[in-house]
Amino acid sequence: MIKDTDGKILPKLNPDETGGFTNKEEAEAKMGPLKERLAELQDIFFAQKKHALLIVLQGMDSSGKDGTVKHVFSGINPQGFTVTSFKKPTLDESAHDFLWRVHKQTPAKGYISAFNRSHYEEVLVPRVHGGQDKAETKRRFRHIRHFEEMLTEENTIIIKLFLHISKDKQLEKIQERLQDPAKHWKFDVSDLEERKYWNDYQEAYEDIFKETAKDNAPWYWIPANHRWFRNYLALNIVVKTLEKLKLSYPKLNTLTPDISELISPRH
Amino acid sequence: MIKDTDGKILPKLNPDETGGFTNKEEAEAKMGPLKERLAELQDIFFAQKKHALLIVLQGMDSSGKDGTVKHVFSGINPQGFTVTSFKKPTLDESAHDFLWRVHKQTPAKGYISAFNRSHYEEVLVPRVHGGQDKAETKRRFRHIRHFEEMLTEENTIIIKLFLHISKDKQLEKIQERLQDPAKHWKFDVSDLEERKYWNDYQEAYEDIFKETAKDNAPWYWIPANHRWFRNYLALNIVVKTLEKLKLSYPKLNTLTPDISELISPRH
């Protein structure tokens, strides 16, 4: 939860960080009550329908975006929650501006939405793989800032979580995928290929942080080498964000008839 | 086609204007060839898939938005063309930011799209009918500028047509609706009610022009008391806009095999 846009961010962060916790059990003991609190807050959030909440999840391959969604939001009422995973754009999506498919999926008031990857992919992949020139990246950063500014001013709360793992940890996780039959489906040989571009991606992320971290749409850097700390911290950020809204259940609409009339009708 | 954002626009424009034409037949004689040219240009536009074209139609009730769409685009290949009419927002639309439903309907590259009413309604109706304060209108103008800037920089050509009729002409058209059984369905008693707000709407439009007329997303003011001149001018603007793109059919992709090989296979 360090916010610093001067100089480089990632080299200063230790992906092995575990906050004040010395072990997994300590963190997990706190997860239960936090999840209950999240469920309570979501209930009021849904009833009040004043804000929408958009949680953007970004991070290198194997940084644990899927796992974070699973562990942070598994206690939430699915009626008010959606996850959208943005994969390679379809032909129709590519034929529109880069924010088109993302804007469509933004949450309605009362709803919480997690983006597993997002519009930020559009200033990552095409940049690292050579198609996108500097001017275009710069232009897209401006469009992203304007887009997020519009969303926040129209009552969408935005938080952006960067899951920070080390290059060694990534390799370890890729190997896990090869060894565990339940994780084979997650293995993609292109993940190994993409590792060659590790530094380019880190550079691209530095620019993302510099260009798009705003008070109303902050980036949170989450040390993610330890899954349990990653989950704890992400959950904590979401809960804190909702607490800050000072949510309350809406009062009975004064336009509805006096309830006493309904209970003891005059006629 | 007057572009002037200093001072007020509408009082300077004569809605009875007919350009150089002295009668309907003169204008209609030019419509045929222009429509053919539009069809040719659309064919190349669709093949090239480099740009999208968005035509925003705004104007007071009865200014002829439906009629303009019908007469200007009736010769076009419907495969590459869509019309979206924006009515009162649905509950789901209202639960999102005001650009959400509009952005969803923006055309893909190669496509032409006409918006019959648009995001500009969101700085008209709520403003005239009191819900929207000045700060909110101002904020929305900024969001509209940013949104259109993003679209144009991502290769959508935007033209905005304001169909300008006089207050008397509007009354005449409302009366037509009452007299002609084929037009009864278009009559809505609220149209008469809205006439009371004529000046407020004109004021609101002045601000729209001042705040959102840009080189890349210009407003065109179309004298619309004479249907035939309105149609001619709108069609002419669309054709001129496409001509300026210097469209050409895409060349054969050099990655496709040499055609001579396909015609006389070596084996």
Side-chain angles (χ1 to χ4, degrees):
Chain A
M1 258 206 283
I2 303 156
K3 291 191 225 170
D4 173 7
T5 52
D6 295 319
K8 295 203 177 173
I9 305 284
L10 298 178
K12 289 185 211 152
L13 300 175
N14 177 9
D16 277 315
E17 175 70 49
T18 57
F21 298 111
T22 50
N23 61 54
K24 184 177 172 176
E25 287 64 35
E26 276 179 30
E28 288 188 343
K30 298 227 170 185
M31 289 289 281
L34 264 179
K35 278 188 169 188
E36 275 171 39
R37 185 61 188 144
L38 176 59
E40 282 166 15
L41 287 164
Q42 185 211 9
D43 198 55
I44 313 175
F45 190 82
F46 189 74
Q48 201 182 29
K49 293 210 169 20
K50 197 174 156 192
H51 302 92
L53 174 60
L54 174 60
I55 300 151
V56 170
L57 282 156
Q58 287 286 156
M60 303 294 282
D61 287 336
S62 316
S63 59
K65 296 179 287 292
D66 297 298
T68 305
V69 170
K70 181 174 166 183
H71 289 285
V72 171
F73 299 107
S74 53
I76 215 168
N77 179 350
Q79 182 169 318
F81 181 72
T82 53
V83 188
T84 309
S85 294
F86 292 97
K87 311 282 184 190
K88 196 165 173 284
T90 63
L91 275 179
D92 189 36
E93 288 169 349
S94 299
H96 286 87
D97 69 85
F98 76 107
L99 294 170
W100 184 73
R101 65 176 186 156
V102 175
H103 197 177
K104 280 210 283 190
Q105 301 297 336
T106 52
K109 292 189 182 82
Y111 288 76
I112 298 176
S113 190
F115 282 0
N116 186 338
R117 304 185 187 272
S118 66
H119 42 303
Y120 286 100
E121 291 295 310
E122 309 299 331
V123 281
L124 280 167
V125 186
R127 190 177 159 187
V128 168
H129 291 289
Q132 193 175 82
D133 66 17
K134 273 192 179 174
E136 195 180 346
T137 311
K138 218 173 134 78
R139 208 159 54 224
R140 289 195 164 181
F141 281 141
R142 172 163 44 84
H143 296 320
I144 289 174
R145 284 194 300 268
H146 287 163
F147 173 60
E148 294 183 354
E149 181 181 285
M150 185 276 292
L151 287 177
T152 53
E153 291 183 7
E154 293 265 320
N155 277 349
T156 297
I157 315 296
I158 303 177
I159 52 180
K160 300 179 284 196
L161 311 181
F162 177 76
L163 309 184
H164 183 41
I165 54 164
S166 63
K167 199 174 174 186
D168 290 346
K169 190 72 185 182
Q170 186 191 55
L171 187 61
E172 198 182 297
K173 288 201 169 191
I174 292 175
Q175 283 162 343
E176 266 177 34
R177 289 181 180 179
L178 281 168
Q179 280 146 18
D180 180 354
K183 287 181 179 165
H184 278 174
W185 66 280
K186 285 196 152 199
F187 176 76
D188 186 334
V189 71
S190 72
D191 292 349
L192 285 168
E193 192 58 31
E194 283 298 281
R195 271 175 65 80
K196 293 183 195 158
Y197 301 94
W198 178 274
N199 290 339
D200 296 332
Y201 275 109
Q202 301 274 307
E203 281 295 319
Y205 268 116
E206 292 286 348
D207 284 345
I208 286 177
F209 303 148
K210 212 179 298 168
E211 298 276 351
T212 67
K214 298 283 157 195
D215 286 347
N216 279 335
W219 276 105
Y220 292 93
W221 297 281
I222 298 188
N225 273 6
H226 297 285
R227 291 181 180 94
W228 51 271
F229 184 63
R230 175 199 75 197
N231 296 339
Y232 166 79
L233 192 53
L235 175 57
N236 206 11
I237 290 166
V238 174
V239 169
K240 287 265 171 34
T241 302
L242 289 170
E243 296 279 14
K244 265 192 272 175
L245 296 177
K246 308 206 177 307
L247 301 167
S248 62
Y249 284 104
K251 298 220 171 69
L252 259 187
N253 191 328
T254 50
L255 292 174
T256 54
D258 185 344
I259 278 194
S260 59
E261 272 189 44
L262 298 176
I263 298 168
S264 45
R266 290 196 199 108
H267 43 99
Chain B
M1 258 203 285
I2 302 156
K3 290 190 224 170
D4 172 8
T5 53
D6 295 320
K8 294 204 177 171
I9 304 284
L10 298 178
K12 288 185 212 153
L13 299 175
N14 176 10
D16 278 314
E17 176 71 48
T18 57
F21 299 110
T22 51
N23 61 55
K24 183 176 170 173
E25 288 65 34
E26 275 179 31
E28 287 188 343
K30 297 225 171 185
M31 289 290 280
L34 264 179
K35 277 188 170 189
E36 275 171 37
R37 185 62 188 143
L38 176 59
E40 282 166 14
L41 287 164
Q42 185 210 9
D43 199 55
I44 312 176
F45 190 82
F46 189 74
Q48 201 180 29
K49 293 208 170 23
K50 197 175 158 194
H51 303 92
L53 174 60
L54 174 60
I55 299 151
V56 170
L57 283 155
Q58 287 286 157
M60 303 294 282
D61 286 337
S62 316
S63 59
K65 296 179 286 292
D66 297 297
T68 304
V69 169
K70 181 175 166 183
H71 290 285
V72 172
F73 299 108
S74 53
I76 215 169
N77 180 352
Q79 182 169 317
F81 182 73
T82 53
V83 188
T84 309
S85 294
F86 291 96
K87 312 281 184 192
K88 197 166 173 284
T90 64
L91 274 179
D92 188 36
E93 288 169 349
S94 299
H96 286 88
D97 68 86
F98 77 107
L99 294 170
W100 183 72
R101 66 175 184 156
V102 175
H103 197 178
K104 279 209 284 190
Q105 301 297 336
T106 51
K109 292 189 184 83
Y111 288 77
I112 299 175
S113 190
F115 281 0
N116 186 338
R117 303 185 189 272
S118 65
H119 42 304
Y120 287 100
E121 292 295 311
E122 309 299 332
V123 282
L124 282 167
V125 186
R127 189 178 160 189
V128 168
H129 291 289
Q132 193 174 82
D133 66 18
K134 273 192 183 175
E136 194 180 345
T137 311
K138 216 173 135 77
R139 209 162 51 227
R140 287 194 165 182
F141 281 141
R142 173 164 42 85
H143 295 320
I144 288 174
R145 284 194 299 270
H146 287 163
F147 173 58
E148 294 184 353
E149 180 181 287
M150 184 276 292
L151 286 178
T152 53
E153 290 183 6
E154 292 266 320
N155 277 350
T156 296
I157 315 295
I158 304 178
I159 53 181
K160 301 179 284 197
L161 311 182
F162 177 76
L163 309 184
H164 183 41
I165 54 164
S166 62
K167 199 174 174 186
D168 290 346
K169 190 71 184 183
Q170 187 191 55
L171 187 60
E172 199 182 295
K173 289 202 169 189
I174 292 175
Q175 285 163 343
E176 266 178 32
R177 289 181 181 181
L178 281 168
Q179 281 147 16
D180 180 353
K183 287 182 178 164
H184 279 173
W185 66 278
K186 285 198 150 198
F187 176 76
D188 186 334
V189 70
S190 73
D191 292 348
L192 285 167
E193 193 57 32
E194 283 298 281
R195 270 175 67 78
K196 293 182 194 157
Y197 301 94
W198 179 274
N199 290 338
D200 296 331
Y201 275 109
Q202 300 273 307
E203 281 296 319
Y205 268 115
E206 292 287 348
D207 285 344
I208 285 177
F209 303 149
K210 212 179 296 168
E211 298 276 352
T212 67
K214 298 283 158 196
D215 287 346
N216 279 333
W219 276 104
Y220 292 93
W221 297 281
I222 298 188
N225 274 6
H226 297 284
R227 291 181 178 92
W228 51 270
F229 184 64
R230 176 200 75 197
N231 295 340
Y232 165 79
L233 193 52
L235 175 56
N236 205 13
I237 290 165
V238 174
V239 169
K240 286 263 167 39
T241 303
L242 289 171
E243 295 280 13
K244 265 192 272 177
L245 296 177
K246 307 205 179 308
L247 300 167
S248 63
Y249 284 105
K251 298 218 171 72
L252 260 187
N253 190 329
T254 50
L255 291 175
T256 54
D258 186 345
I259 278 196
S260 59
E261 271 187 45
L262 298 175
I263 297 170
S264 46
R266 289 198 198 106
H267 44 101

XYZ file of all heavy atoms in Angstrom, chain A residues 38-76:
298
model
N -16.605 -7.824 4.786
C -16.812 -7.534 3.364
C -18.244 -7.871 2.946
O -18.892 -7.094 2.251
C -15.802 -8.309 2.495
C -15.976 -8.167 0.976
C -15.860 -6.712 0.539
C -14.949 -9.024 0.221
N -18.725 -9.012 3.410
C -20.090 -9.424 3.055
C -21.125 -8.434 3.596
O -22.088 -8.075 2.906
C -20.367 -10.833 3.577
N -20.900 -7.965 4.841
C -21.811 -6.962 5.418
C -21.799 -5.674 4.610
O -22.841 -5.098 4.286
C -21.359 -6.588 6.847
C -21.702 -7.577 7.934
C -20.908 -7.277 9.226
O -20.332 -6.170 9.370
O -20.861 -8.182 10.083
N -20.599 -5.218 4.309
C -20.462 -3.957 3.579
C -21.091 -4.061 2.187
O -21.751 -3.145 1.714
C -18.976 -3.575 3.455
C -18.315 -3.087 4.746
C -16.786 -3.112 4.605
C -18.775 -1.663 5.096
N -20.867 -5.210 1.553
C -21.433 -5.376 0.215
C -22.955 -5.323 0.254
O -23.595 -4.794 -0.648
C -20.983 -6.707 -0.403
C -21.448 -6.855 -1.844
C -21.705 -8.296 -2.260
O -21.692 -9.209 -1.424
N -21.951 -8.508 -3.541
N -23.528 -5.850 1.301
C -24.983 -5.856 1.421
C -25.520 -4.419 1.458
O -26.497 -4.089 0.787
C -25.386 -6.622 2.695
C -26.851 -7.054 2.648
O -27.222 -7.726 1.666
O -27.611 -6.696 3.570
N -24.859 -3.571 2.227
C -25.294 -2.169 2.313
C -25.024 -1.455 0.984
O -25.842 -0.684 0.494
C -24.562 -1.427 3.455
C -24.577 -2.280 4.741
C -25.220 -0.080 3.720
C -23.770 -1.677 5.876
N -23.848 -1.736 0.440
C -23.438 -1.144 -0.844
C -24.481 -1.431 -1.922
O -24.869 -0.561 -2.700
C -22.082 -1.767 -1.209
C -21.378 -1.133 -2.375
C -20.625 0.021 -2.212
C -21.425 -1.714 -3.635
C -19.946 0.599 -3.283
C -20.756 -1.147 -4.715
C -20.008 0.013 -4.534
N -24.949 -2.678 -1.929
C -25.937 -3.114 -2.927
C -27.295 -2.456 -2.681
O -27.991 -2.056 -3.619
C -26.069 -4.644 -2.877
C -26.898 -5.213 -3.999
C -26.382 -5.272 -5.289
C -28.185 -5.684 -3.781
C -27.130 -5.796 -6.338
C -28.937 -6.209 -4.832
C -28.407 -6.264 -6.107
N -27.652 -2.317 -1.410
C -28.943 -1.713 -1.067
C -28.944 -0.217 -1.386
O -29.923 0.333 -1.881
C -29.237 -1.925 0.416
N -27.812 0.412 -1.130
C -27.732 1.864 -1.264
C -27.664 2.306 -2.725
O -28.197 3.354 -3.087
C -26.504 2.362 -0.491
C -26.574 3.814 -0.122
C -25.324 4.281 0.607
O -24.218 3.775 0.421
N -25.494 5.278 1.449
N -26.998 1.518 -3.531
C -26.875 1.806 -4.983
C -26.421 3.233 -5.269
O -26.925 3.883 -6.198
C -28.186 1.505 -5.707
C -28.546 0.027 -5.724
C -29.330 -0.386 -6.921
C -29.472 -1.894 -7.081
N -29.265 -2.734 -5.912
N -25.494 3.696 -4.488
C -24.985 5.059 -4.703
C -23.693 5.026 -5.509
O -23.445 5.877 -6.348
C -24.741 5.699 -3.327
C -24.611 7.195 -3.373
C -24.506 7.792 -1.981
C -23.800 9.140 -2.024
N -23.431 9.616 -0.689
N -22.856 4.049 -5.215
C -21.583 3.925 -5.916
C -21.485 2.577 -6.611
O -22.208 1.647 -6.286
C -20.411 3.978 -4.932
C -20.349 5.202 -4.105
N -20.934 5.288 -2.865
C -19.766 6.406 -4.341
C -20.707 6.494 -2.376
N -20.014 7.188 -3.239
N -20.534 2.511 -7.539
C -20.081 1.230 -8.071
C -18.635 1.061 -7.619
O -17.968 2.050 -7.320
C -20.172 1.237 -9.588
N -18.172 -0.166 -7.531
C -16.761 -0.390 -7.168
C -16.091 -1.242 -8.229
O -16.559 -2.338 -8.545
C -16.667 -1.078 -5.795
C -15.257 -1.500 -5.345
C -14.298 -0.313 -5.246
C -15.310 -2.234 -3.995
N -15.012 -0.716 -8.771
C -14.252 -1.431 -9.794
C -12.865 -1.748 -9.257
O -12.135 -0.845 -8.843
C -14.141 -0.565 -11.055
C -13.249 -1.107 -12.166
C -13.730 -2.458 -12.658
C -13.190 -0.111 -13.325
N -12.534 -3.030 -9.255
C -11.226 -3.470 -8.770
C -10.448 -4.044 -9.951
O -10.835 -5.052 -10.538
C -11.392 -4.549 -7.678
C -12.176 -3.971 -6.509
C -10.025 -5.076 -7.229
C -12.985 -4.988 -5.749
N -9.377 -3.359 -10.303
C -8.558 -3.789 -11.442
C -7.397 -4.624 -10.920
O -6.669 -4.174 -10.033
C -8.025 -2.559 -12.204
C -6.981 -2.958 -13.233
C -9.170 -1.783 -12.849
N -7.255 -5.825 -11.452
C -6.145 -6.691 -11.045
C -5.147 -6.841 -12.184
O -5.506 -7.293 -13.280
C -6.673 -8.077 -10.679
C -7.332 -8.190 -9.316
C -8.304 -9.365 -9.296
C -6.279 -8.373 -8.229
N -3.926 -6.429 -11.920
C -2.868 -6.602 -12.926
C -1.673 -7.280 -12.257
O -1.543 -7.259 -11.037
C -2.456 -5.239 -13.495
C -3.462 -4.609 -14.440
C -3.537 -5.255 -15.822
O -4.559 -5.156 -16.503
N -2.488 -5.947 -16.237
N -0.791 -7.807 -13.072
C 0.418 -8.449 -12.546
C 1.011 -9.344 -13.603
O 0.315 -9.694 -14.577
N 2.259 -9.701 -13.439
C 2.913 -10.590 -14.378
C 2.175 -11.942 -14.409
O 1.422 -12.260 -13.497
C 4.360 -10.829 -13.943
C 5.187 -9.559 -13.811
S 5.465 -8.680 -15.376
C 6.771 -9.702 -16.081
N 2.431 -12.722 -15.449
C 1.893 -14.084 -15.487
C 2.247 -14.797 -14.192
O 3.365 -14.648 -13.693
C 2.520 -14.884 -16.651
C 1.976 -14.431 -17.998
O 0.854 -13.879 -18.041
O 2.688 -14.622 -19.004
N 1.327 -15.586 -13.674
C 1.530 -16.375 -12.453
C 1.610 -15.537 -11.178
O 2.008 -16.039 -10.140
C 2.800 -17.241 -12.504
O 2.925 -17.881 -13.736
N 1.257 -14.265 -11.260
C 1.328 -13.455 -10.045
C 0.134 -13.733 -9.126
O 0.107 -13.277 -7.984
C 1.397 -11.965 -10.386
O 0.264 -11.576 -11.145
N -0.860 -14.452 -9.642
C -1.952 -14.880 -8.764
C -3.234 -14.074 -8.876
O -3.973 -13.934 -7.899
N -3.530 -13.584 -10.051
C -4.758 -12.794 -10.225
C -5.997 -13.668 -9.984
O -6.904 -13.283 -9.247
C -4.785 -12.164 -11.631
C -3.658 -11.154 -11.846
C -3.645 -10.538 -13.237
C -3.176 -11.465 -14.330
N -1.742 -11.843 -14.265
N -6.018 -14.847 -10.599
C -7.159 -15.757 -10.396
C -7.309 -16.130 -8.924
O -8.401 -16.109 -8.371
C -6.977 -17.050 -11.209
C -6.955 -16.787 -12.708
O -7.964 -16.294 -13.238
O -5.919 -17.061 -13.336
N -6.188 -16.466 -8.305
C -6.213 -16.887 -6.902
C -6.707 -15.771 -5.997
O -7.444 -16.008 -5.030
N -6.325 -14.557 -6.303
C -6.755 -13.426 -5.487
C -8.268 -13.262 -5.570
O -8.948 -13.100 -4.553
C -6.039 -12.133 -5.948
O -4.626 -12.357 -5.910
C -6.385 -10.967 -5.056
N -8.797 -13.310 -6.798
C -10.255 -13.202 -6.967
C -10.949 -14.284 -6.146
O -11.889 -14.018 -5.390
C -10.642 -13.330 -8.461
C -12.148 -13.475 -8.612
C -10.147 -12.116 -9.252
N -10.437 -15.511 -6.287
C -11.056 -16.650 -5.605
C -11.059 -16.472 -4.082
O -12.079 -16.676 -3.422
C -10.274 -17.916 -5.996
C -10.778 -19.206 -5.406
C -9.993 -20.368 -6.001
C -10.200 -21.652 -5.215
N -9.349 -22.738 -5.782
N -9.915 -16.080 -3.532
C -9.799 -16.048 -2.071
C -10.407 -14.799 -1.449
O -10.939 -14.836 -0.353
C -8.341 -16.209 -1.653
C -7.837 -17.592 -1.900
N -8.190 -18.645 -1.100
C -7.075 -18.110 -2.896
C -7.644 -19.770 -1.575
N -6.953 -19.457 -2.678
N -10.332 -13.693 -2.145
C -10.854 -12.448 -1.573
C -12.374 -12.401 -1.651
O -13.048 -11.957 -0.737
C -10.227 -11.224 -2.276
C -10.915 -9.926 -1.861
C -8.727 -11.155 -1.995
N -12.919 -12.893 -2.770
C -14.347 -12.663 -3.018
C -15.232 -13.895 -2.850
O -16.415 -13.853 -3.179
C -14.550 -12.058 -4.406
C -13.872 -10.731 -4.566
C -12.727 -10.593 -5.344
C -14.361 -9.610 -3.904
C -12.097 -9.364 -5.475
C -13.737 -8.376 -4.030
C -12.596 -8.260 -4.820
N -14.667 -14.976 -2.327
C -15.474 -16.191 -2.259
C -16.635 -16.082 -1.267
O -17.587 -16.840 -1.333
C -14.588 -17.404 -1.940
O -13.831 -17.144 -0.784
N -16.602 -15.093 -0.362
C -17.698 -14.993 0.610
C -18.769 -13.989 0.218
O -19.730 -13.765 0.944
N -18.597 -13.406 -0.955
C -19.448 -12.286 -1.343
C -20.743 -12.784 -2.015
O -20.754 -13.869 -2.595
C -18.612 -11.370 -2.283
C -18.963 -9.917 -2.075
C -18.726 -11.800 -3.713
C -17.983 -8.979 -2.764
